[in-house]
PDB file of all heavy atoms in Angstrom:
ATOM      1  N   VAL A 207       0.142   2.700   7.495  1.00  0.00           N
ATOM      2  CA  VAL A 207       0.104   3.955   6.739  1.00  0.00           C
ATOM      3  C   VAL A 207      -0.850   3.818   5.544  1.00  0.00           C
ATOM      4  O   VAL A 207      -0.743   2.870   4.773  1.00  0.00           O
ATOM      5  CB  VAL A 207       1.512   4.317   6.236  1.00  0.00           C
ATOM      6  CG1 VAL A 207       1.451   5.486   5.258  1.00  0.00           C
ATOM      7  CG2 VAL A 207       2.419   4.674   7.411  1.00  0.00           C
ATOM      8  N   PRO A 208      -1.778   4.765   5.355  1.00  0.00           N
ATOM      9  CA  PRO A 208      -2.646   4.720   4.173  1.00  0.00           C
ATOM     10  C   PRO A 208      -1.853   5.100   2.920  1.00  0.00           C
ATOM     11  O   PRO A 208      -0.942   5.922   2.973  1.00  0.00           O
ATOM     12  CB  PRO A 208      -3.724   5.762   4.487  1.00  0.00           C
ATOM     13  CG  PRO A 208      -3.072   6.697   5.456  1.00  0.00           C
ATOM     14  CD  PRO A 208      -2.117   5.872   6.271  1.00  0.00           C
ATOM     15  N   VAL A 209      -2.169   4.476   1.814  1.00  0.00           N
ATOM     16  CA  VAL A 209      -1.459   4.709   0.556  1.00  0.00           C
ATOM     17  C   VAL A 209      -2.459   5.119  -0.517  1.00  0.00           C
ATOM     18  O   VAL A 209      -3.501   4.471  -0.689  1.00  0.00           O
ATOM     19  CB  VAL A 209      -0.702   3.440   0.101  1.00  0.00           C
ATOM     20  CG1 VAL A 209      -0.017   3.681  -1.234  1.00  0.00           C
ATOM     21  CG2 VAL A 209       0.316   3.019   1.151  1.00  0.00           C
ATOM     22  N   GLU A 210      -2.143   6.193  -1.215  1.00  0.00           N
ATOM     23  CA  GLU A 210      -2.984   6.619  -2.332  1.00  0.00           C
ATOM     24  C   GLU A 210      -2.427   6.016  -3.621  1.00  0.00           C
ATOM     25  O   GLU A 210      -1.249   6.202  -3.937  1.00  0.00           O
ATOM     26  CB  GLU A 210      -3.027   8.142  -2.438  1.00  0.00           C
ATOM     27  CG  GLU A 210      -3.950   8.629  -3.548  1.00  0.00           C
ATOM     28  CD  GLU A 210      -4.047  10.145  -3.608  1.00  0.00           C
ATOM     29  OE1 GLU A 210      -3.363  10.815  -2.803  1.00  0.00           O
ATOM     30  OE2 GLU A 210      -4.798  10.650  -4.460  1.00  0.00           O
ATOM     31  N   GLU A 211      -3.252   5.299  -4.347  1.00  0.00           N
ATOM     32  CA  GLU A 211      -2.842   4.636  -5.574  1.00  0.00           C
ATOM     33  C   GLU A 211      -3.729   5.086  -6.727  1.00  0.00           C
ATOM     34  O   GLU A 211      -4.784   5.678  -6.527  1.00  0.00           O
ATOM     35  CB  GLU A 211      -2.937   3.113  -5.428  1.00  0.00           C
ATOM     36  CG  GLU A 211      -2.119   2.544  -4.280  1.00  0.00           C
ATOM     37  CD  GLU A 211      -2.366   1.060  -4.101  1.00  0.00           C
ATOM     38  OE1 GLU A 211      -3.552   0.665  -4.014  1.00  0.00           O
ATOM     39  OE2 GLU A 211      -1.385   0.304  -4.055  1.00  0.00           O
ATOM     40  N   ARG A 212      -3.285   4.759  -7.944  1.00  0.00           N
ATOM     41  CA  ARG A 212      -4.099   5.009  -9.125  1.00  0.00           C
ATOM     42  C   ARG A 212      -4.242   3.721  -9.908  1.00  0.00           C
ATOM     43  O   ARG A 212      -3.262   2.993 -10.093  1.00  0.00           O
ATOM     44  CB  ARG A 212      -3.470   6.097 -10.003  1.00  0.00           C
ATOM     45  CG  ARG A 212      -3.476   7.474  -9.336  1.00  0.00           C
ATOM     46  CD  ARG A 212      -3.111   8.592 -10.297  1.00  0.00           C
ATOM     47  NE  ARG A 212      -3.157   9.884  -9.638  1.00  0.00           N
ATOM     48  CZ  ARG A 212      -4.274  10.592  -9.468  1.00  0.00           C
ATOM     49  NH1 ARG A 212      -5.430  10.120  -9.933  1.00  0.00           N
ATOM     50  NH2 ARG A 212      -4.243  11.750  -8.859  1.00  0.00           N
ATOM     51  N   ASP A 213      -5.459   3.448 -10.347  1.00  0.00           N
ATOM     52  CA  ASP A 213      -5.678   2.223 -11.107  1.00  0.00           C
ATOM     53  C   ASP A 213      -5.286   2.438 -12.560  1.00  0.00           C
ATOM     54  O   ASP A 213      -4.760   3.499 -12.934  1.00  0.00           O
ATOM     55  CB  ASP A 213      -7.134   1.764 -10.992  1.00  0.00           C
ATOM     56  CG  ASP A 213      -8.125   2.836 -11.465  1.00  0.00           C
ATOM     57  OD1 ASP A 213      -7.728   3.699 -12.266  1.00  0.00           O
ATOM     58  OD2 ASP A 213      -9.286   2.800 -11.026  1.00  0.00           O
ATOM     59  N   GLU A 214      -5.535   1.443 -13.415  1.00  0.00           N
ATOM     60  CA  GLU A 214      -5.136   1.519 -14.821  1.00  0.00           C
ATOM     61  C   GLU A 214      -5.839   2.653 -15.561  1.00  0.00           C
ATOM     62  O   GLU A 214      -5.334   3.144 -16.571  1.00  0.00           O
ATOM     63  CB  GLU A 214      -5.430   0.179 -15.502  1.00  0.00           C
ATOM     64  CG  GLU A 214      -4.606  -0.987 -14.934  1.00  0.00           C
ATOM     65  CD  GLU A 214      -4.944  -2.285 -15.615  1.00  0.00           C
ATOM     66  OE1 GLU A 214      -5.883  -2.301 -16.451  1.00  0.00           O
ATOM     67  OE2 GLU A 214      -4.271  -3.300 -15.319  1.00  0.00           O
ATOM     68  N   SER A 215      -6.988   3.071 -15.062  1.00  0.00           N
ATOM     69  CA  SER A 215      -7.724   4.174 -15.695  1.00  0.00           C
ATOM     70  C   SER A 215      -7.302   5.538 -15.182  1.00  0.00           C
ATOM     71  O   SER A 215      -7.821   6.564 -15.636  1.00  0.00           O
ATOM     72  CB  SER A 215      -9.234   3.982 -15.470  1.00  0.00           C
ATOM     73  OG  SER A 215      -9.672   2.732 -15.983  1.00  0.00           O
ATOM     74  N   GLY A 216      -6.377   5.552 -14.213  1.00  0.00           N
ATOM     75  CA  GLY A 216      -5.911   6.814 -13.664  1.00  0.00           C
ATOM     76  C   GLY A 216      -6.728   7.338 -12.505  1.00  0.00           C
ATOM     77  O   GLY A 216      -6.482   8.446 -12.009  1.00  0.00           O
ATOM     78  N   HIS A 217      -7.713   6.556 -12.054  1.00  0.00           N
ATOM     79  CA  HIS A 217      -8.551   6.995 -10.933  1.00  0.00           C
ATOM     80  C   HIS A 217      -7.844   6.703  -9.605  1.00  0.00           C
ATOM     81  O   HIS A 217      -7.264   5.642  -9.412  1.00  0.00           O
ATOM     82  CB  HIS A 217      -9.903   6.285 -10.977  1.00  0.00           C
ATOM     83  CG  HIS A 217     -10.674   6.536 -12.238  1.00  0.00           C
ATOM     84  ND1 HIS A 217     -11.104   7.793 -12.615  1.00  0.00           N
ATOM     85  CD2 HIS A 217     -11.082   5.687 -13.224  1.00  0.00           C
ATOM     86  CE1 HIS A 217     -11.752   7.719 -13.755  1.00  0.00           C
ATOM     87  NE2 HIS A 217     -11.745   6.454 -14.159  1.00  0.00           N
ATOM     88  N   GLY A 218      -7.926   7.656  -8.698  1.00  0.00           N
ATOM     89  CA  GLY A 218      -7.284   7.499  -7.405  1.00  0.00           C
ATOM     90  C   GLY A 218      -8.073   6.603  -6.471  1.00  0.00           C
ATOM     91  O   GLY A 218      -9.299   6.529  -6.550  1.00  0.00           O
ATOM     92  N   ARG A 219      -7.358   5.922  -5.591  1.00  0.00           N
ATOM     93  CA  ARG A 219      -7.999   5.078  -4.585  1.00  0.00           C
ATOM     94  C   ARG A 219      -7.061   4.959  -3.398  1.00  0.00           C
ATOM     95  O   ARG A 219      -5.849   5.106  -3.529  1.00  0.00           O
ATOM     96  CB  ARG A 219      -8.319   3.698  -5.149  1.00  0.00           C
ATOM     97  CG  ARG A 219      -7.100   2.901  -5.571  1.00  0.00           C
ATOM     98  CD  ARG A 219      -7.495   1.579  -6.196  1.00  0.00           C
ATOM     99  NE  ARG A 219      -6.299   0.816  -6.592  1.00  0.00           N
ATOM    100  CZ  ARG A 219      -6.338  -0.316  -7.281  1.00  0.00           C
ATOM    101  NH1 ARG A 219      -7.500  -0.817  -7.648  1.00  0.00           N
ATOM    102  NH2 ARG A 219      -5.216  -0.948  -7.601  1.00  0.00           N
ATOM    103  N   MET A 220      -7.631   4.678  -2.248  1.00  0.00           N
ATOM    104  CA  MET A 220      -6.845   4.540  -1.030  1.00  0.00           C
ATOM    105  C   MET A 220      -6.768   3.080  -0.617  1.00  0.00           C
ATOM    106  O   MET A 220      -7.728   2.320  -0.782  1.00  0.00           O
ATOM    107  CB  MET A 220      -7.468   5.354   0.098  1.00  0.00           C
ATOM    108  CG  MET A 220      -7.546   6.847  -0.170  1.00  0.00           C
ATOM    109  SD  MET A 220      -5.924   7.624  -0.372  1.00  0.00           S
ATOM    110  CE  MET A 220      -5.242   7.391   1.277  1.00  0.00           C
ATOM    111  N   SER A 221      -5.612   2.684  -0.111  1.00  0.00           N
ATOM    112  CA  SER A 221      -5.446   1.330   0.413  1.00  0.00           C
ATOM    113  C   SER A 221      -4.665   1.414   1.718  1.00  0.00           C
ATOM    114  O   SER A 221      -4.101   2.449   2.059  1.00  0.00           O
ATOM    115  CB  SER A 221      -4.703   0.440  -0.595  1.00  0.00           C
ATOM    116  OG  SER A 221      -3.382   0.910  -0.804  1.00  0.00           O
ATOM    117  N   GLY A 222      -4.627   0.293   2.439  1.00  0.00           N
ATOM    118  CA  GLY A 222      -3.922   0.284   3.715  1.00  0.00           C
ATOM    119  C   GLY A 222      -4.698   1.032   4.782  1.00  0.00           C
ATOM    120  O   GLY A 222      -5.926   1.036   4.805  1.00  0.00           O
ATOM    121  N   GLY A 223      -3.962   1.663   5.676  1.00  0.00           N
ATOM    122  CA  GLY A 223      -4.610   2.398   6.754  1.00  0.00           C
ATOM    123  C   GLY A 223      -4.774   1.564   8.016  1.00  0.00           C
ATOM    124  O   GLY A 223      -4.316   0.424   8.103  1.00  0.00           O
ATOM    125  N   GLN A 224      -5.457   2.117   8.997  1.00  0.00           N
ATOM    126  CA  GLN A 224      -5.606   1.474  10.303  1.00  0.00           C
ATOM    127  C   GLN A 224      -6.348   0.141  10.237  1.00  0.00           C
ATOM    128  O   GLN A 224      -6.131  -0.730  11.061  1.00  0.00           O
ATOM    129  CB  GLN A 224      -6.335   2.421  11.266  1.00  0.00           C
ATOM    130  CG  GLN A 224      -5.513   3.644  11.661  1.00  0.00           C
ATOM    131  CD  GLN A 224      -4.231   3.272  12.391  1.00  0.00           C
ATOM    132  OE1 GLN A 224      -4.219   2.368  13.225  1.00  0.00           O
ATOM    133  NE2 GLN A 224      -3.143   3.964  12.073  1.00  0.00           N
ATOM    134  N   LYS A 225      -7.217  -0.011   9.235  1.00  0.00           N
ATOM    135  CA  LYS A 225      -7.984  -1.244   9.124  1.00  0.00           C
ATOM    136  C   LYS A 225      -7.225  -2.359   8.408  1.00  0.00           C
ATOM    137  O   LYS A 225      -7.709  -3.480   8.334  1.00  0.00           O
ATOM    138  CB  LYS A 225      -9.300  -0.959   8.398  1.00  0.00           C
ATOM    139  CG  LYS A 225     -10.240  -0.031   9.157  1.00  0.00           C
ATOM    140  CD  LYS A 225     -11.545   0.160   8.403  1.00  0.00           C
ATOM    141  CE  LYS A 225     -12.487   1.079   9.165  1.00  0.00           C
ATOM    142  NZ  LYS A 225     -13.767   1.275   8.432  1.00  0.00           N
ATOM    143  N   SER A 226      -6.061  -2.046   7.892  1.00  0.00           N
ATOM    144  CA  SER A 226      -5.277  -3.050   7.168  1.00  0.00           C
ATOM    145  C   SER A 226      -4.771  -4.124   8.130  1.00  0.00           C
ATOM    146  O   SER A 226      -4.243  -3.827   9.202  1.00  0.00           O
ATOM    147  CB  SER A 226      -4.086  -2.388   6.468  1.00  0.00           C
ATOM    148  OG  SER A 226      -3.276  -3.350   5.826  1.00  0.00           O
ATOM    149  N   THR A 227      -4.934  -5.387   7.742  1.00  0.00           N
ATOM    150  CA  THR A 227      -4.507  -6.502   8.600  1.00  0.00           C
ATOM    151  C   THR A 227      -3.462  -7.392   7.938  1.00  0.00           C
ATOM    152  O   THR A 227      -2.968  -8.326   8.571  1.00  0.00           O
ATOM    153  CB  THR A 227      -5.715  -7.376   8.981  1.00  0.00           C
ATOM    154  OG1 THR A 227      -6.333  -7.874   7.781  1.00  0.00           O
ATOM    155  CG2 THR A 227      -6.731  -6.572   9.781  1.00  0.00           C
ATOM    156  N   ARG A 228      -3.108  -7.112   6.681  1.00  0.00           N
ATOM    157  CA  ARG A 228      -2.102  -7.937   6.032  1.00  0.00           C
ATOM    158  C   ARG A 228      -1.405  -7.124   4.947  1.00  0.00           C
ATOM    159  O   ARG A 228      -1.939  -6.156   4.422  1.00  0.00           O
ATOM    160  CB  ARG A 228      -2.725  -9.190   5.420  1.00  0.00           C
ATOM    161  CG  ARG A 228      -3.733  -8.927   4.320  1.00  0.00           C
ATOM    162  CD  ARG A 228      -4.320 -10.231   3.816  1.00  0.00           C
ATOM    163  NE  ARG A 228      -3.284 -11.082   3.242  1.00  0.00           N
ATOM    164  CZ  ARG A 228      -3.388 -12.411   3.137  1.00  0.00           C
ATOM    165  NH1 ARG A 228      -4.463 -13.031   3.592  1.00  0.00           N
ATOM    166  NH2 ARG A 228      -2.430 -13.113   2.591  1.00  0.00           N
ATOM    167  N   GLY A 229      -0.174  -7.545   4.626  1.00  0.00           N
ATOM    168  CA  GLY A 229       0.576  -6.870   3.579  1.00  0.00           C
ATOM    169  C   GLY A 229       1.332  -5.658   4.081  1.00  0.00           C
ATOM    170  O   GLY A 229       1.145  -5.194   5.215  1.00  0.00           O
ATOM    171  N   THR A 230       2.217  -5.149   3.235  1.00  0.00           N
ATOM    172  CA  THR A 230       2.958  -3.932   3.546  1.00  0.00           C
ATOM    173  C   THR A 230       2.624  -2.883   2.497  1.00  0.00           C
ATOM    174  O   THR A 230       2.357  -3.217   1.347  1.00  0.00           O
ATOM    175  CB  THR A 230       4.489  -4.182   3.528  1.00  0.00           C
ATOM    176  OG1 THR A 230       4.862  -4.667   2.228  1.00  0.00           O
ATOM    177  CG2 THR A 230       4.877  -5.203   4.574  1.00  0.00           C
ATOM    178  N   PRO A 231       2.616  -1.607   2.863  1.00  0.00           N
ATOM    179  CA  PRO A 231       2.249  -0.551   1.914  1.00  0.00           C
ATOM    180  C   PRO A 231       3.173  -0.540   0.697  1.00  0.00           C
ATOM    181  O   PRO A 231       4.394  -0.562   0.837  1.00  0.00           O
ATOM    182  CB  PRO A 231       2.401   0.740   2.736  1.00  0.00           C
ATOM    183  CG  PRO A 231       2.306   0.298   4.152  1.00  0.00           C
ATOM    184  CD  PRO A 231       2.915  -1.059   4.201  1.00  0.00           C
ATOM    185  N   GLN A 232       2.589  -0.529  -0.500  1.00  0.00           N
ATOM    186  CA  GLN A 232       3.383  -0.463  -1.717  1.00  0.00           C
ATOM    187  C   GLN A 232       4.177   0.834  -1.739  1.00  0.00           C
ATOM    188  O   GLN A 232       3.611   1.918  -1.607  1.00  0.00           O
ATOM    189  CB  GLN A 232       2.457  -0.529  -2.944  1.00  0.00           C
ATOM    190  CG  GLN A 232       3.185  -0.557  -4.278  1.00  0.00           C
ATOM    191  CD  GLN A 232       3.882  -1.880  -4.525  1.00  0.00           C
ATOM    192  OE1 GLN A 232       3.490  -2.902  -3.979  1.00  0.00           O
ATOM    193  NE2 GLN A 232       4.926  -1.864  -5.324  1.00  0.00           N
ATOM    194  N   GLY A 233       5.493   0.729  -1.890  1.00  0.00           N
ATOM    195  CA  GLY A 233       6.339   1.912  -1.895  1.00  0.00           C
ATOM    196  C   GLY A 233       6.731   2.396  -0.519  1.00  0.00           C
ATOM    197  O   GLY A 233       7.406   3.424  -0.384  1.00  0.00           O
ATOM    198  N   GLY A 234       6.331   1.682   0.519  1.00  0.00           N
ATOM    199  CA  GLY A 234       6.661   2.093   1.876  1.00  0.00           C
ATOM    200  C   GLY A 234       8.153   1.959   2.166  1.00  0.00           C
ATOM    201  O   GLY A 234       8.833   1.104   1.593  1.00  0.00           O
ATOM    202  N   VAL A 235       8.642   2.794   3.071  1.00  0.00           N
ATOM    203  CA  VAL A 235      10.068   2.803   3.391  1.00  0.00           C
ATOM    204  C   VAL A 235      10.537   1.444   3.905  1.00  0.00           C
ATOM    205  O   VAL A 235      11.597   0.949   3.538  1.00  0.00           O
ATOM    206  CB  VAL A 235      10.368   3.898   4.441  1.00  0.00           C
ATOM    207  CG1 VAL A 235      11.833   3.841   4.866  1.00  0.00           C
ATOM    208  CG2 VAL A 235      10.029   5.272   3.891  1.00  0.00           C
ATOM    209  N   ILE A 236       9.736   0.818   4.743  1.00  0.00           N
ATOM    210  CA  ILE A 236      10.141  -0.418   5.400  1.00  0.00           C
ATOM    211  C   ILE A 236       9.705  -1.659   4.618  1.00  0.00           C
ATOM    212  O   ILE A 236      10.129  -2.786   4.937  1.00  0.00           O
ATOM    213  CB  ILE A 236       9.560  -0.465   6.836  1.00  0.00           C
ATOM    214  CG1 ILE A 236      10.329  -1.446   7.727  1.00  0.00           C
ATOM    215  CG2 ILE A 236       8.072  -0.797   6.797  1.00  0.00           C
ATOM    216  CD1 ILE A 236      11.739  -1.017   8.019  1.00  0.00           C
ATOM    217  N   SER A 237       8.860  -1.494   3.615  1.00  0.00           N
ATOM    218  CA  SER A 237       8.254  -2.637   2.927  1.00  0.00           C
ATOM    219  C   SER A 237       9.264  -3.630   2.343  1.00  0.00           C
ATOM    220  O   SER A 237       9.125  -4.846   2.543  1.00  0.00           O
ATOM    221  CB  SER A 237       7.299  -2.154   1.839  1.00  0.00           C
ATOM    222  OG  SER A 237       6.206  -1.469   2.416  1.00  0.00           O
ATOM    223  N   PRO A 238      10.300  -3.179   1.610  1.00  0.00           N
ATOM    224  CA  PRO A 238      11.244  -4.156   1.042  1.00  0.00           C
ATOM    225  C   PRO A 238      11.946  -4.994   2.110  1.00  0.00           C
ATOM    226  O   PRO A 238      12.130  -6.197   1.941  1.00  0.00           O
ATOM    227  CB  PRO A 238      12.243  -3.276   0.281  1.00  0.00           C
ATOM    228  CG  PRO A 238      11.487  -2.031  -0.019  1.00  0.00           C
ATOM    229  CD  PRO A 238      10.599  -1.809   1.159  1.00  0.00           C
ATOM    230  N   LEU A 239      12.317  -4.346   3.224  1.00  0.00           N
ATOM    231  CA  LEU A 239      13.007  -5.076   4.294  1.00  0.00           C
ATOM    232  C   LEU A 239      12.079  -6.108   4.930  1.00  0.00           C
ATOM    233  O   LEU A 239      12.469  -7.258   5.157  1.00  0.00           O
ATOM    234  CB  LEU A 239      13.511  -4.095   5.354  1.00  0.00           C
ATOM    235  CG  LEU A 239      14.232  -4.719   6.558  1.00  0.00           C
ATOM    236  CD1 LEU A 239      15.460  -5.489   6.114  1.00  0.00           C
ATOM    237  CD2 LEU A 239      14.615  -3.644   7.567  1.00  0.00           C
ATOM    238  N   LEU A 240      10.848  -5.715   5.191  1.00  0.00           N
ATOM    239  CA  LEU A 240       9.900  -6.646   5.802  1.00  0.00           C
ATOM    240  C   LEU A 240       9.556  -7.792   4.856  1.00  0.00           C
ATOM    241  O   LEU A 240       9.405  -8.944   5.285  1.00  0.00           O
ATOM    242  CB  LEU A 240       8.624  -5.904   6.213  1.00  0.00           C
ATOM    243  CG  LEU A 240       8.776  -4.855   7.321  1.00  0.00           C
ATOM    244  CD1 LEU A 240       7.437  -4.196   7.620  1.00  0.00           C
ATOM    245  CD2 LEU A 240       9.360  -5.482   8.586  1.00  0.00           C
ATOM    246  N   ALA A 241       9.448  -7.492   3.569  1.00  0.00           N
ATOM    247  CA  ALA A 241       9.146  -8.542   2.593  1.00  0.00           C
ATOM    248  C   ALA A 241      10.274  -9.572   2.549  1.00  0.00           C
ATOM    249  O   ALA A 241      10.036 -10.780   2.510  1.00  0.00           O
ATOM    250  CB  ALA A 241       8.928  -7.924   1.218  1.00  0.00           C
ATOM    251  N   ASN A 242      11.509  -9.089   2.565  1.00  0.00           N
ATOM    252  CA  ASN A 242      12.658 -10.002   2.577  1.00  0.00           C
ATOM    253  C   ASN A 242      12.689 -10.837   3.846  1.00  0.00           C
ATOM    254  O   ASN A 242      12.992 -12.035   3.818  1.00  0.00           O
ATOM    255  CB  ASN A 242      13.961  -9.203   2.449  1.00  0.00           C
ATOM    256  CG  ASN A 242      14.350  -8.952   1.009  1.00  0.00           C
ATOM    257  OD1 ASN A 242      14.505  -9.873   0.216  1.00  0.00           O
ATOM    258  ND2 ASN A 242      14.493  -7.689   0.659  1.00  0.00           N
ATOM    259  N   LEU A 243      12.376 -10.209   4.967  1.00  0.00           N
ATOM    260  CA  LEU A 243      12.369 -10.905   6.249  1.00  0.00           C
ATOM    261  C   LEU A 243      11.333 -12.025   6.251  1.00  0.00           C
ATOM    262  O   LEU A 243      11.607 -13.146   6.710  1.00  0.00           O
ATOM    263  CB  LEU A 243      12.088  -9.908   7.376  1.00  0.00           C
ATOM    264  CG  LEU A 243      12.131 -10.450   8.803  1.00  0.00           C
ATOM    265  CD1 LEU A 243      13.517 -10.951   9.131  1.00  0.00           C
ATOM    266  CD2 LEU A 243      11.712  -9.358   9.782  1.00  0.00           C
TER     267      LEU A 243
END
């Protein structure tokens, strides 16, 4: 899932998405469970 984030300056940026190969989306529904696993 692509995630829209904002940096310290308040500018928007996209992370994750189909090209993502590692990590779980910040704030994702399943992320805490997968991180614990």
Side-chain angles (χ1 to χ4, degrees):
V207 171
V209 178
E210 183 177 2
E211 303 174 309
R212 293 191 179 277
D213 57 24
E214 296 179 355
S215 302
H217 301 298
R219 63 183 180 187
M220 299 297 295
S221 64
Q224 291 299 320
K225 295 182 180 180
S226 177
T227 59
R228 63 182 298 156
T230 59
Q232 184 72 25
V235 175
I236 200 67
S237 295
L239 179 60
L240 295 180
N242 273 303
L243 184 63

